[in-house]
Amino acid sequence: MLGLLKPIKGRWACLPLGCRFYHRQKDIAAGKINVRRHGRVPVFQSKMAQAAAMILPVATHFSCHSPLIVCDSWFGNNGLWKPLNAAEPSIHLLSRLRSSTVLYAEPADAARTAKGRPRKYGDRCGSVTELATSLRAQAQKYTAQLYGKAREIRAYDQIFLLKTLRCPVRVVWVFRKTQWVAFFTTDLTLSVTQIVEYYGARWKIEAGFKEIKQEIGSARTQTRTADAVTNHLHFCLLATTLTWIYADRITADPKRRHIVKGWTSFAFSDVVTSHNKLGTLSRAI
């Protein structure tokens, strides 16, 4: 699923923009996929290719604003970055680094003037885990808006070269008491707090699945044919997006049905039930 991460009244929300169904190549070749459109059998497309095909048409409309793609570590590699960067160089990627990823320094100026081809990468700095151990003492304190609250974090950032993407990236380590996590982005202009806050907002994508399935009701459909299932899901995505647009336009925040101590932000279900007409529209779709 592709969604737009947008802050709405002090909280992040995911507005669905589109979705794709993935079928394995061996299942298509064996004729197990009973999905035909205009008499044609579906053509196999990898998950990376599907993601790039979904992102590019949307990103081209924001080419002047350098769109930022936030994804988990499974998509945060050259499989997604290469087709995106080739088609739209203004696109940037923000994801989580795996602990075994090796980082390199930028080549020294002396290496550029030496004989032969100039070096593309500098010295090996170490893996993400090795650097996390050595850089923990240099971490500084920051204040970031995470999960609806202002939280104090300890983080360290530095620019490295990443061979998997073949470009410089800003890496941010966030240290907890006994654990740590590392993020990277190809947008070198982002600050430490922006990187942490944007990746923290990625969890709203997972919450968006719950909103579509339970609150809107995509999981309670009785459709059976391929076109009916696709149409129903697209209407559910549309209803979710319209609900969040409504929440952004109203003057007052929706009232919480279930008050939680110390929690002021509202939930998606509060928006659906805040207006009778909106609730009827969402349930009907």
Side-chain angles (χ1 to χ4, degrees):
M1 187 181 78
L2 176 66
L4 174 67
L5 289 175
K6 176 179 173 59
I8 296 179
K9 298 189 181 304
R11 56 149 296 160
W12 285 94
C14 179
L15 282 64
L17 299 178
C19 64
R20 291 286 184 93
F21 293 98
Y22 174 76
H23 303 293
R24 296 185 299 178
Q25 187 174 16
K26 62 180 183 180
D27 292 338
I28 296 177
K32 296 181 179 180
I33 307 302
N34 188 21
V35 178
R36 292 178 179 268
R37 290 187 175 276
H38 308 292
R40 294 178 297 179
V41 178
V43 179
F44 172 76
Q45 196 176 30
S46 66
K47 293 183 179 180
M48 294 296 182
Q50 284 185 332
M54 294 173 63
I55 292 171
L56 285 174
V58 178
T60 51
H61 294 283
F62 302 95
S63 57
C64 59
H65 301 289
S66 299
L68 180 66
I69 309 302
V70 183
C71 56
D72 58 15
S73 60
W74 198 91
F75 285 97
N77 53 56
N78 203 39
L80 179 62
W81 169 249
K82 185 176 180 180
L84 292 180
N85 187 49
E88 189 61 49
S90 64
I91 294 179
H92 290 290
L93 195 67
L94 193 159
S95 184
R96 180 174 173 174
L97 273 176
R98 298 185 179 183
S99 59
S100 59
T101 303
V102 178
L103 301 174
Y104 295 84
E106 294 182 322
D109 294 337
R112 303 178 187 275
T113 59
K115 293 182 179 180
R117 181 181 298 178
R119 296 179 60 183
K120 295 182 178 180
Y121 303 95
D123 297 333
R124 182 185 186 275
C125 297
S127 67
V128 176
T129 302
E130 295 169 351
L131 290 172
T133 304
S134 61
L135 298 176
R136 176 183 286 270
Q138 304 180 38
Q140 299 180 2
K141 292 183 179 180
Y142 298 89
T143 301
Q145 293 291 333
L146 287 173
Y147 312 115
K149 295 182 180 180
R151 304 175 187 269
E152 188 177 89
I153 60 174
R154 294 181 63 252
Y156 176 85
D157 74 297
Q158 187 175 337
I159 296 177
F160 294 93
L161 290 178
L162 200 58
K163 281 190 175 182
T164 54
L165 301 186
R166 300 180 181 179
C167 67
V169 296
R170 181 180 296 278
V171 181
V172 176
W173 283 269
V174 178
F175 298 97
R176 304 170 187 170
K177 292 183 179 179
T178 58
Q179 298 178 340
W180 55 268
V181 62
F183 309 117
F184 79 91
T185 178
T186 58
D187 189 352
L188 305 183
T189 63
L190 293 179
S191 64
V192 173
T193 54
Q194 286 177 320
I195 294 173
V196 175
E197 289 175 359
Y198 291 164
Y199 193 84
R202 193 199 66 83
W203 177 251
K204 292 302 178 180
I205 300 175
E206 310 298 335
F209 292 130
K210 176 184 177 182
E211 296 165 2
I212 296 169
K213 293 179 180 179
Q214 299 183 12
E215 304 295 341
I216 298 299
S218 68
R220 297 189 292 270
T221 178
Q222 299 297 319
T223 55
R224 294 294 180 266
T225 63
D227 289 336
V229 171
T230 302
N231 293 337
H232 173 78
L233 183 56
H234 286 170
F235 275 118
C236 290
L237 298 181
L238 176 62
T240 305
T241 301
L242 290 177
T243 303
W244 279 123
I245 294 176
Y246 168 80
D248 191 34
R249 297 291 182 89
I250 59 178
T251 304
D253 293 354
K255 295 182 179 180
R256 290 191 62 95
R257 292 187 299 171
H258 307 286
I259 300 176
V260 181
K261 184 178 180 181
W263 196 264
T264 59
S265 61
F266 56 88
F268 181 81
S269 59
D270 300 327
V271 183
V272 175
T273 58
S274 63
H275 197 284
N276 293 333
K277 293 183 179 179
L278 180 63
T280 303
L281 172 63
S282 300
R283 288 189 292 270
I285 292 180

